[in-house]
Amino acid sequence: MRTISEITHNGKPLQDILDDHKKWVAGKGGTSANLTRADLTGADLRGAYLRSAYLTRADLRGAYLRGADLRGAD
């Protein structure tokens, strides 16, 4: 299983993307998480804050999503 700290998307660490996304959702700056076509296979996304994130065509095969907030995610 891959941890969030081991994953990058478009050259940016996934942890940074998720941190910015959480700020964006809270209205405190940041940017929306665009994980379109992200390779998240086997990712340990337990408890990840993915609310309203863009996940179009993201590969989530084998990803562990227990407790992840996916409300409004695409």
Side-chain angles (χ1 to χ4, degrees):
M1 183 139 317
R2 298 187 306 155
T3 65
I4 288 174
S5 63
E6 297 172 316
I7 300 170
T8 61
H9 179 60
N10 292 334
K12 188 171 182 180
L14 181 58
Q15 186 64 61
D16 291 352
I17 294 169
L18 296 179
D19 290 345
D20 283 348
H21 180 70
K22 197 168 189 176
K23 290 177 191 173
W24 177 78
V25 171
K28 297 180 180 180
T31 55
S32 175
N34 185 345
L35 297 170
T36 300
R37 297 178 186 255
D39 178 8
L40 301 173
T41 55
D44 183 356
L45 298 171
R46 277 181 286 190
Y49 193 78
L50 295 166
R51 186 178 203 173
S52 299
Y54 295 101
L55 295 168
T56 305
R57 295 186 179 165
D59 191 343
L60 292 161
R61 287 179 288 167
Y64 190 60
L65 296 163
R66 185 178 185 109
D69 187 345
L70 294 164
R71 290 177 284 173
D74 177 19

